Amino acid sequence: MKILDLFSGIGGISLGFASANFSEYDFSLKPNEQKAKNDGFFKTIAFCEIEPFCKKILAKNYPNTKIYDDVKTLPLDELRGGGRYNHWWFSLPGLKCSRRSSWA
């Protein structure tokens, strides 16, 4: 299942879904460093995060996954793959948890 991770932070929600792809996931390793076989059922196709620090962490941990800056300008046609049914299955919105947040 394809995942579009919105308001991604450092990618914790995608990490949880990625860990479900392995029978023996090692949480001390990054997703791209796992030694167990990945069945690829869950795949994050893109992140959307505006915070520069979080984007650096995402780029390091998910080097082959596109990171967009602003949810208001996401290229939805591109993310859908050009077809109506060739799209992501889940949009995972993270909660705003920064010190500037009114949720904190």
Side-chain angles (χ1 to χ4, degrees):
M1 292 190 168
K2 296 178 186 175
I3 296 169
L4 173 60
D5 194 336
L6 305 173
F7 316 106
S8 306
I10 60 170
I13 294 174
S14 282
L15 177 63
F17 273 86
S19 69
N21 287 334
F22 297 90
S23 57
E24 297 178 23
Y25 194 84
D26 183 350
F27 284 95
S28 67
L29 298 173
K30 296 176 189 160
N32 60 341
E33 297 173 343
Q34 293 297 320
K35 294 177 178 44
K37 183 171 172 31
N38 179 346
D39 70 7
F41 185 72
F42 293 108
K43 169 112 175 99
T44 300
I45 60 166
F47 293 100
C48 187
E49 177 57 52
I50 201 164
E51 294 290 331
F53 175 76
C54 293
K55 288 169 57 176
K56 285 181 186 177
I57 300 295
L58 289 171
K60 182 177 179 184
N61 291 337
Y62 299 90
N64 300 318
T65 306
K66 181 77 173 160
I67 304 168
Y68 295 97
D69 292 323
D70 190 348
V71 71
K72 293 182 265 184
T73 60
L74 281 172
L76 296 180
D77 287 337
E78 178 184 320
L79 290 168
R80 286 186 187 118
R84 181 174 178 176
Y85 298 104
N86 185 16
H87 55 80
W88 65 92
W89 283 89
F90 289 109
S91 295
L92 305 173
L95 292 175
K96 189 173 181 183
C97 297
S98 71
R99 57 191 148 152
R100 293 176 273 180
S101 172
S102 60
W103 288 66

